Amino acid sequence: EPYRQIKRAMEGGVTTEFETMLSRRGAWVAGRAYPSREGLSVYFRDITERKRAEEAQRFLGQASSMFSSSLDYHETLASVARLAVPTLADWCAVDILEEDGHPKRLAVEHPDPEKLRLAYELERRYPPDPDAPRGLYHVLRTGEPETMAEIPEGLVEQAARDEEHRELLRKLNLRSYMVVPLVARGRILGAISLVSAESGRRYGEADLQLAEELARRAAFAVENARLYEEAQKEISERRWAQEELRGSRDQLEAILRGAAEGITAQDPSGKVIYVNEAAARLIGFSSVREVMTSTPADLLARYEILDEDGDPFPFERLPGRRALEGEEAAEEVICFRILATGEERWTVVKAMPIYGERGTVRMAVNILRDITESKRAGESLRRVTEAERKRIARDLHDGVLQDLSYTA
């Protein structure tokens, strides 16, 4: 391209511009060629920083698109390695911290499959030292990035554990490296390792900044994916719990439905949220549904509520209301006089509060025991006793009068 533009300027007598990369140095220059009376002038300007910034933005844009395309963080991190090679590195490895704190390698990328095989062999035969003062484990411990612009030969010699290990490391031809942590919400999730080899690239401050931004976006994507997984798990567990609760509720419903005693439950506003069939019959309703669709005001409007002496029973003294205030085992004998028919139903009502997790009353459960028959029997006995007492008194009175008449 530079040659063609220069030739065009010479032959056409027009000013031309071009950009080209000096492959040996990895630098970019912008050229301008224009003819003049003295001949052809060509000027060059270094645009390496601008080109690298543009390339970095394109790279990060691709990374963001990739991260947003999946909520599987294993796939997300594997895609990081594929994207980084060869744009940013000759080698890229991605490790994630498991729940037990041990790293797990999710991906390794290199253009040469034979080199990949060699890397896996090295990891299998010579696993990294968790206590090493530098490298992956050090970054995972500290959460700080690590970079080395040029890997000295002495470092390879120092890292080798035996002659065969040394030879394998030399075959990799490692030149420069960076290890950046994956950190989200102050928690270390893993790390990305980037290594330059065949390309001869030497990492500098701009490369480290790009790698850190890549790691930041990757960590954010991983955290979102994990939160999504946790949310899905919680939803699944909640559904399971709801199914279990529904099953338990159905079983409890079957038990309470057949209970001889009436059972009701009220929410903090006093609204009836549960009633069994015995309770519905006891308070003069034809069905449970009729009770459940009635407001507290509707219920109270159906009755005249009396105490044992036949006086109006104070609303605030009802056991259910007292239980909603936190009183334990409130109990009263109450007469429900149905206004429409005049029928009286006598009931022993016992109420207890049910507390929520925060210690507040969530509901009141009322147990209603029908004592109408025993009350009626008692009333009949009282009337018989009273009639007998009056008869005896009358007989005595008549006998006394008769005795007096005889005496007279």
Side-chain angles (χ1 to χ4, degrees):
E1 179 65 19
Y3 175 76
R4 190 175 67 83
Q5 293 298 333
I6 292 172
K7 183 179 179 182
R8 177 167 166 262
M10 292 175 61
E11 295 176 351
V14 295
T15 300
T16 60
E17 295 181 351
F18 56 89
E19 294 179 353
T20 188
M21 186 178 72
L22 306 177
S23 57
R24 291 185 178 180
R25 297 176 52 198
W28 280 84
V29 294
R32 186 179 188 190
Y34 61 92
S36 65
R37 292 179 181 179
E38 291 78 17
L40 183 70
S41 299
V42 182
Y43 291 90
F44 293 95
R45 179 167 52 90
D46 187 351
I47 58 169
T48 303
E49 291 304 316
R50 176 171 68 81
K51 280 292 186 180
R52 285 183 176 174
E54 290 173 355
E55 183 181 355
Q57 288 306 311
R58 282 195 300 271
F59 175 77
L60 291 174
Q62 289 177 333
S64 294
S65 297
M66 194 175 297
F67 295 153
S68 62
S69 65
S70 174
L71 285 171
D72 181 350
Y73 73 87
H74 293 87
E75 176 59 30
T76 297
L77 291 178
S79 67
V80 171
R82 291 192 295 269
L83 183 66
V85 175
T87 305
L88 194 55
D90 299 311
W91 289 91
C92 181
V94 181
D95 295 88
I96 197 76
L97 281 175
E98 299 278 69
E99 292 295 330
D100 60 3
H102 290 87
K104 176 184 178 181
R105 180 144 294 177
L106 293 185
V108 180
E109 284 292 326
H110 188 277
D112 186 351
E114 184 60 28
K115 289 287 184 71
L116 274 176
R117 186 198 63 78
L118 180 61
Y120 281 117
E121 180 68 12
L122 265 172
E123 185 179 7
R124 184 185 67 82
R125 295 176 59 183
Y126 303 99
D129 180 7
D131 299 318
R134 63 173 63 89
L136 172 65
Y137 279 92
H138 182 256
V139 171
L140 292 176
R141 284 196 304 271
T142 63
E144 296 296 327
E146 185 177 300
T147 183
M148 188 173 288
E150 186 165 0
I151 300 174
E153 182 66 24
L155 185 61
V156 176
E157 294 292 328
Q158 180 183 346
R161 300 179 189 177
D162 54 39
E163 188 58 36
E164 187 175 2
H165 190 200
R166 184 180 294 106
E167 187 60 29
L168 290 172
L169 288 174
R170 284 175 177 169
K171 285 182 180 180
L172 295 178
N173 195 27
L174 308 179
R175 300 293 182 84
S176 183
Y177 80 86
M178 298 182 291
V179 184
V180 288
L182 298 168
V183 180
R185 304 178 190 272
R187 187 162 62 101
I188 301 171
L189 306 177
I192 302 174
S193 302
L194 301 155
V195 182
S196 167
E198 298 85 0
S199 65
R201 183 171 184 170
R202 300 295 186 269
Y203 292 128
E205 185 61 31
D207 297 309
L208 179 60
Q209 290 178 2
L210 176 57
E212 287 184 302
E213 179 61 21
L214 173 66
R216 187 189 70 79
R217 297 188 187 195
F220 183 73
V222 169
E223 183 68 7
N224 282 345
R226 281 185 165 178
L227 289 174
Y228 176 78
E229 281 190 1
E230 290 173 5
Q232 290 299 107
K233 182 180 179 182
E234 183 177 344
I235 290 171
S236 177
E237 290 176 349
R238 188 177 299 169
R239 284 176 179 168
W240 177 85
Q242 287 173 344
E243 289 298 324
E244 288 292 306
L245 181 60
R246 188 175 295 112
S248 299
R249 188 180 63 190
D250 291 344
Q251 292 176 1
L252 181 60
E253 173 73 19
I255 295 170
L256 296 181
R257 190 184 300 121
E261 294 180 326
I263 299 173
T264 68
Q266 298 168 266
D267 67 12
S269 71
K271 180 177 175 59
V272 175
I273 57 175
Y274 174 81
V275 58
N276 69 349
E277 293 177 0
R281 290 194 304 269
L282 182 59
I283 56 179
F285 283 86
S286 59
S287 69
V288 169
R289 184 177 180 279
E290 191 180 359
V291 181
M292 296 298 294
T293 55
S294 300
T295 65
D298 292 337
L299 292 174
L300 292 175
R302 292 173 62 98
Y303 312 105
E304 184 179 6
I305 303 177
L306 307 172
D307 62 17
E308 289 190 274
D309 296 326
D311 297 322
F313 197 99
F315 174 75
E316 65 277 3
R317 292 298 301 163
L318 289 172
R321 302 303 305 179
R322 288 154 58 189
L324 289 173
E325 295 296 325
E327 183 176 337
E328 300 282 347
E331 184 174 331
E332 296 286 351
V333 175
I334 296 173
C335 175
F336 293 92
R337 179 180 292 162
I338 302 173
L339 297 177
T341 63
E343 180 187 2
E344 293 184 353
R345 305 296 301 183
W346 284 90
T347 309
V348 176
V349 182
K350 184 175 182 179
M352 63 196 73
I354 303 298
Y355 294 93
E357 293 180 359
R358 297 183 179 180
T360 57
V361 178
R362 291 186 59 185
M363 68 179 74
V365 174
N366 302 279
I367 299 175
L368 291 75
R369 181 163 55 87
D370 188 359
I371 59 170
T372 303
E373 294 304 319
S374 63
K375 272 286 186 180
R376 287 174 179 171
E379 181 62 18
S380 296
L381 179 61
R382 185 189 67 77
R383 289 175 181 172
V384 169
T385 303
E386 181 64 20
E388 184 66 14
R389 185 185 66 77
K390 288 181 178 180
R391 185 188 66 78
I392 293 172
R394 187 173 60 252
D395 289 347
L396 287 173
H397 179 267
D398 293 344
V400 169
L401 289 177
Q402 187 175 17
D403 289 345
L404 289 174
S405 64
Y406 287 151
T407 304

